[in-house]
Amino acid sequence: RHPRVDVLTPDALVRAQRMLTARRALAVESARQCYDIHDGSPWIETRRVWVLGAPPTPSAEQTDDGSDDDNEAPHTIVTFPTRVRNAAMSDSLSVALGREGVFDVSSMAEAVLVFDDESVASNFADLLSEERGGTEVSVAELDSHQLFLMVSDAGSGVKCCVIKGEAAANFLPSPELLRLALLNDDDGGSGGMGSLDDAFSN
């Protein structure tokens, strides 16, 4: 006997797709509860924080010829792409065109991942390493005020995505989920990393 093959009707396919979309939206929303975006340090007193480092993503040529080993490359600070909303420009455009609250001006940029809990940082590093096929992802400890000063020096648009250990202890999003959340977030960050890579040079 041939195995039974279930064929979904068009309506069933639509319902299944909607269910998957709803589940992903719920997971992304849960991921958003795990972080805050900051321009400056959210802590009055200086404290320890942790950031991640990993080898740069290899180019297509490097991958093809196999000449470079990711784990031997110098580590650079890990950043994730995020969407930056320009509230002032959005409001000005809406007022100028007489359609308040309609226009949303944003741009794509990068955000530094900052952890306030070392164990959460290590767990996320493991997830990121697994996603990258076993490439080493390191964890570096920094002083919070020093970190935010370095981020500020890297460029006026650079921000930090602070992963809250208390929230992430209950639900630590995968790297993919965190990217999705940041790309749809209204308070993203931007810029380059500059001297932050020195955290992994020692």
Side-chain angles (χ1 to χ4, degrees), residues 35-50:
Y35 68 84
D36 290 319
I37 300 296
H38 294 280
D39 289 305
S41 177
W43 302 287
I44 297 176
E45 299 292 335
T46 187
R47 55 157 296 161
R48 295 184 303 165
V49 294
W50 293 265

Side-chain angles (χ1 to χ4, degrees), residues 88-109:
M89 185 175 295
S90 298
D91 293 342
S92 297
L93 185 59
S94 297
V95 171
L97 298 178
R99 302 182 66 183
E100 188 173 353
V102 173
F103 296 95
D104 191 11
V105 180
S106 62
S107 60
M108 296 305 302

Side-chain angles (χ1 to χ4, degrees), residues 63-202:
T63 301
D64 291 340
D65 62 27
S67 58
D68 287 340
D69 184 348
D70 282 351
N71 289 317
E72 295 179 357
H75 283 202
T76 59
I77 193 120
V78 172
T79 64
F80 275 12
T82 186
R83 187 175 299 279
V84 186
R85 181 176 183 273
N86 190 321
M89 185 175 295
S90 298
D91 293 342
S92 297
L93 185 59
S94 297
V95 171
L97 298 178
R99 302 182 66 183
E100 188 173 353
V102 173
F103 296 95
D104 191 11
V105 180
S106 62
S107 60
M108 296 305 302
E110 296 290 323
V112 183
L113 302 186
V114 182
F115 297 82
D116 64 7
D117 185 289
E118 185 178 12
S119 62
V120 172
S122 296
N123 290 339
F124 193 85
D126 290 340
L127 293 176
L128 190 59
S129 174
E130 182 179 353
E131 180 189 73
R132 298 187 176 187
T135 296
E136 180 187 3
V137 177
S138 57
V139 178
E141 179 184 315
L142 293 173
D143 173 88
S144 59
H145 287 187
Q146 183 180 32
L147 169 63
F148 278 90
L149 284 174
M150 288 191 293
V151 169
S152 178
D153 290 342
S156 60
V158 180
K159 299 182 182 180
C160 286
C161 172
V162 177
I163 312 296
K164 299 177 290 186
E166 185 175 352
N170 297 320
F171 176 77
L172 180 61
S174 67
E176 179 185 6
L177 272 181
L178 183 59
R179 289 190 193 93
L180 288 173
L182 287 169
L183 289 173
N184 289 281
D185 190 66
D186 290 335
D187 298 307
S190 64
M193 299 328 308
S195 62
L196 283 174
D197 294 338
D198 294 341
F200 298 95
S201 63
N202 297 324

